[in-house]
Amino acid sequence: MKRRTILAAPLALPLAGSLTTALAGTAAAAPAAPAGSAAAAKVRELLARLTLDEKISLLHQWQPAIPRLGMKAFRTGTEALHGLAWLGPATVFPQAVGLASTWNPELIREVGEAVGDEVRGLQHERPAGWGLNVWAPTVNLLRDPRWGRNEEGYSEDPYLTGVISTAYAGGLTGGDPDNLKTAPLVKHYLANNNEVRRDQTSSDLRPRVLKEYEEPAYRAAISADAACGVMTAYNLVNGRPCTVTDLNASVRTWTDRSLLNVTDAWAPNNLPATGSQKYFGTLAEADAAILKAGVDSFTTDDTDGGPTAAAVKEALAKGLLTEADVDTAVRHILDIRARLGDFAADGGPYGHLDKSVIDSPAHRRLARRTAAEAVVLLKNDRGALPLDARKLRKVAVVGPLADTLYTDWYSGSLPYAITPLQGITDRLGAGAEVTTGEGVDRVALKNAVTGRYVTAGRGDGGAALAESATAAGGTEQFDVFGWGEGVVTLRAVANGKVVGMRDGQFYNDQDQPNGWFVSQLFRPEEQDDGTVVLRYAGYENWLGDAVYLRAREEDGALVLGTAADASRYTLETLRDGIDEAVAAARAADTAIVVVGSMPFINARETDDREDMGLAGTQSALVRAVLAANPRTVVVVENSYPTTLTWEQEHVPALVWTTHAGQETGRSLADVLFGDVNPAGRLTQTWYRSAAGLPPILEYDNIKYERTYQYFTGDVLYPFGHGLSYTTFRYGRPRLLRDAVAVPVTNTGSRAGAEVVQLYTRQRDSRVKQPLKKLQAFAKVTLRPGETRTVTLPLPRAALAHWDVTRERWVVERSTYDVLVGASSGDIRARAELAVDGETVPPRDLRRTTRAENFDDYAGVRLVDESKPQGTAVAAESAGAWLLFADADLRRGARRLVARVAKESPGAGTVQVRLDAPDGPVAGGAEVRSTGSRYAYEEVTAVLRGAAGRRDVYLVPGEGVRIADFSLS
């Protein structure tokens, strides 16, 4: 173990981690556009000539054309999360969590460039819904693997998220902030990691969690001028809706350039008394607050800008806004449009791009390369992989995802689809036989009373399902796909289409489950007599009790009814899916089982996961196939960590891929047969079960020990995990000035890429520190026997944490473990770094201390001190307390002064206790009802015995809010 001592000077910049250093080669920060530039001149000209009504019209997502000034219509919000979406066929790259699993920012920049080209490719046609402001990347941290939108984010780690998001956004912009290919924004600001009641829940962010964990993920691409703004989230943070959280004091300070900040869809309408948040009385008050908070564009009311214009005009008339406030937002909008070339006759440097770039051969190759590099080899016992195509004569490729590619809500339309079955078949060629079976049951539904079968239609359009046939022919057969929690989808054999609800009836007319309400879901419920009823399980929440399928008397058509009306069916199994898959596997040299999720069903926007395991039917399939053929490989294709505890113990080889787009099949074949050595790494901790996780709404990673940084339990796969077909040896690390150098050798017989990961751990600190913290990484490709010295940046600022006692960044005097390895759980080399930093002095509570700057707490929530700004602490129940550790009371504290509020009737108290929440009482003050949560008054109390160096506890009574206090 090597040891080195460095001196730490005071920090000049509020940076956590080595993010800016690592990003220097990814997207260099650029100065603000010169005030005399052509773009700036055009903005000044237009702003001077626009009428007030015209300015207001530009504040809505759908900005109208203004012909007299030569301004075209402009729209914010083209979806481009992992390819151009919602506008027809376009190259579909792996989902965002898959992009990040490459740990390759250079590759992700190429992907961003390709997506930016394809967005530009529609500029000459300008279809409805198209625009050059793209809503990507999503940088919400994946702190809880149950989040429904896990597929949209990158990582549970803020540093890795920052690197990947900056690379993707930098590719989207084209790399020149003055001449933008597209104008990406990062979303959803801030702390949006739950779907349950997402527009009503508040994420409590104590200052350390905000500064050390949440903000860096958003700050990275903004400060590197790779992103052009943020989208605010639906949720609240510390009691204040994100839609009116002050971006001027945070996001806009991260760059000198103009930013175009937007609301999420319909979020402005949540704010008034008629909405879900009821934060303001009227829409005029809400829209005024939105603009003053630093948001420029209202995404609401679909294409109708009328309600927004009316509300803004009302706010102006009532003095809630000035024209200067409108000008500020419009200036930001015009600046982005100018940098996009929107006011240039030729469209600027990218004006030549046309539709020919979409799904080009180069982009197809990039999609395949990216999908292959995103694959993670989870387990590989005794060289089960790679498969040797030369020795295989018969291969079984089975499972519900074996011959299907699914897309997600933010995916583009696949221009073509290479399934795992096709990719493997093509790779093996004529020399081997490939057998298959989806592993799902084929059934017929016979009404137990009438004896008639549910019948579907033929042809692409299918037909309305009805009970009509008296025998189970081809139109009466359905394949049943199980997705867990009792939910299934039905695919009609008659035309291969999925059954879903439309206008109260059911049709077999969909290629895959889809839509905002996902109306293709059913839950069979077995009855005491052995029959089943079908419960409709779509996402609609207004149907009441009428959610069961019944046959209409007059024509047998399937419609909705109550449980009492539900048709009872005898379920006739015509084909046992597991038996079919087992037969194929038993006769094969190797069995490949492809299981996983359906992105519209298992978890998605508006729906968090409750079950982290494979669907029960899929787990049963894996076990049966493995029992039939011990040479089984399991491919898990989904969008999130999965509790594969049994599979990890028993299956020889496990491979994970996200839903990886059009080239999924070829990329999997590339990895399974060794044409590509797997080099993907997990960007999240994979837990053994959900039992050790705190409730999804607990956002305090430090207290509740979330993510690899603080989790102390045994995990299934650690953050950063991923295997290779070769092996790597790490040498002794050398500590350089602001860097660590470590030799890495490929000790195997194949060329391969290793992701060398650098972590630190602070041994001694005033506060609870991460067990490990990712500081840098490098992906290096080595030939067999090759050694390369990898140098990883470790600047002094990377060791900082947020000191709540003085509200600034600090590097403490301590010994830091420098850890280099293949994952957070596979550390190969260590060194010691002695840092002569600061010693945080005891708290000086004579100065006014913000209540939110506590060290620990119980029974409290963080709340909005006022609607525009500030955070206070509210006691939720009796027994609440706040700890202010290691306070210097050696001069003796004789008086408490606290600024408090209490909305509820009656009086409460706030006590000062010493050493423990139930320790000696030094004093207390009565808190009268102030009648409003925002009406604060000062209370005082005489203190006794408050002397020495002590832990100080504030103990507020239920309903009491504390903004700040002092002990003097």
Side-chain angles (χ1 to χ4, degrees), residues 409 483 487-489 498-501 506 510 512-522 536-540 542-543 598-607:
W409 180 252
W483 301 109
V487 171
V488 304
T489 53
V498 177
V499 174
M501 186 181 75
F506 294 87
Q510 298 298 306
Q512 68 167 50
N514 62 82
W516 186 251
F517 295 108
V518 197
S519 61
Q520 297 83 26
L521 309 183
F522 303 92
Y536 173 65
Y539 282 14
E540 293 94 331
W542 62 80
L543 296 174
M598 200 285 136
F600 278 82
I601 298 175
N602 294 99
R604 56 155 288 177
E605 187 171 357
T606 75
D607 189 49

Side-chain angles (χ1 to χ4, degrees), residues 92-94 364 367-372 375 387 397 401-406 414 416-428 592 594 635 637 655 657-676:
V92 179
F93 293 95
R364 291 184 174 193
R368 179 175 180 175
R369 178 159 63 98
T370 306
V375 171
L387 301 173
V397 182
L401 278 76
D403 199 25
T404 301
L405 294 189
Y406 289 121
L414 295 170
Y416 58 91
I418 307 299
T419 68
L421 175 63
Q422 182 177 340
I424 292 166
T425 301
D426 291 348
R427 175 61 179 82
L428 286 169
I592 301 170
V594 190
V635 175
E637 185 181 335
V655 170
T657 177
T658 191
H659 295 279
Q662 62 210 52
E663 287 288 347
T664 297
R666 274 193 278 255
S667 68
L668 276 173
D670 289 342
V671 170
L672 293 175
F673 292 99
D675 301 322
V676 170

Side-chain angles (χ1 to χ4, degrees), residues 113 229 314 431 550 571 644 723 761 794 819:
E113 290 172 350
E314 182 183 340
R550 68 177 179 87
L571 202 64
L644 302 173
L723 304 177
R761 182 177 72 88
L794 185 60
L819 311 168

Side-chain angles (χ1 to χ4, degrees), residues 54-64 74-77 133 135 185 230-232 234 242-245 247 252 259-272 280 282-316 320-322 325-330 332-333:
E54 288 169 340
K55 293 175 188 175
I56 293 171
S57 75
L58 299 178
L59 299 178
H60 190 263
Q61 177 188 21
W62 294 79
Q63 301 172 28
F74 185 87
R75 179 185 183 269
T76 64
N133 168 235
W135 288 354
L185 55 78
V230 302
M231 172 188 281
T232 55
Y234 287 120
C242 288
T243 312
V244 291
T245 292
L247 304 181
R252 291 198 188 277
L259 300 175
L260 169 54
N261 298 324
V262 310
T263 73
D264 208 336
W266 294 86
N269 290 359
N270 293 336
L271 291 168
F280 298 99
T282 65
L283 186 61
E285 294 173 83
D287 284 6
I290 289 170
L291 286 174
K292 284 185 172 293
V295 176
D296 308 300
S297 180
F298 293 80
T299 312
T300 188
D301 302 305
D302 291 329
T303 62
D304 184 7
T308 295
V312 171
K313 289 176 183 178
E314 182 183 340
L316 287 165
L320 302 174
L321 285 174
T322 67
D325 295 320
V326 175
D327 285 353
T328 296
V330 173
H332 298 151
I333 294 166

